[in-house]
Amino acid sequence: MDKNVISVETVEEKKDESTGLIYRKRIAICQNVVPEILRKVSILKVPDIQLEEESWLSLQKRNMAIRSHCLTWTQYASLREESVFLESVENPNWTEFIQRGRISITGAGFLNCILETFASAFLRQGAQKGIRIMEMLLKEQCGSPLVE
């Protein structure tokens, strides 16, 4: 549901019959969103970026965890994101969303700081976009009114 996502392939999926836990591993191909000015650096001049995402969904416990990381620039950067959706302790009809991201860039000299700043802003925007997409999906599937 993101315009920058070119394709997503599920490479592994399994369900633990005893716990009902559903595990999925997916590979996403996304457009390279690095600003054109930064793509002057040869390592950043790639047409698309590969991400690996793993998710664990428990319908019994009403929670989901997602962990993703970038596969494209592993020799120069570590970009990791973790998200958790769980039932709120305040109200079982509410969902709590917790997200963490880690960015580490090496080997780019003076550009390390600039690239880390861009990646941080990108992850923040992605979190906001993820919340909007999740709210839209919940509204479509559950018909629940959203607090605007």
Side-chain angles (χ1 to χ4, degrees), residues 96-126:
E96 292 185 18
F97 172 62
I98 303 163
Q99 186 170 47
R100 291 181 205 91
R102 282 179 252 141
I103 302 161
S104 175
I105 298 178
T106 58
F110 70 95
L111 287 177
N112 284 358
C113 183
I114 295 169
L115 294 172
E116 284 179 2
T117 301
F118 170 74
S120 177
F122 179 75
L123 286 177
R124 264 193 306 285
Q125 289 173 356

Side-chain angles (χ1 to χ4, degrees), residues 58-145:
S58 173
L59 296 174
Q60 291 174 345
K61 294 182 181 179
R62 295 180 50 153
N63 65 33
M64 180 171 69
I66 302 170
R67 185 172 54 210
S68 61
H69 66 275
C70 181
L71 298 173
T72 300
W73 294 298
T74 55
Q75 70 271 33
Y76 302 104
S78 173
L79 299 158
R80 298 189 177 280
E81 184 178 15
E82 297 173 4
S83 303
V84 177
F85 300 85
L86 48 101
E87 183 179 303
S88 173
V89 293
E90 293 179 41
N91 183 334
N93 294 317
W94 296 351
T95 301
E96 292 185 18
F97 172 62
I98 303 163
Q99 186 170 47
R100 291 181 205 91
R102 282 179 252 141
I103 302 161
S104 175
I105 298 178
T106 58
F110 70 95
L111 287 177
N112 284 358
C113 183
I114 295 169
L115 294 172
E116 284 179 2
T117 301
F118 170 74
S120 177
F122 179 75
L123 286 177
R124 264 193 306 285
Q125 289 173 356
Q128 293 167 351
K129 192 181 296 184
I131 290 170
R132 285 193 304 273
I133 290 170
M134 185 61 73
E135 287 176 342
M136 184 183 69
L137 289 171
L138 288 170
K139 188 173 184 178
E140 285 177 4
Q141 292 178 9
C142 302
S144 301

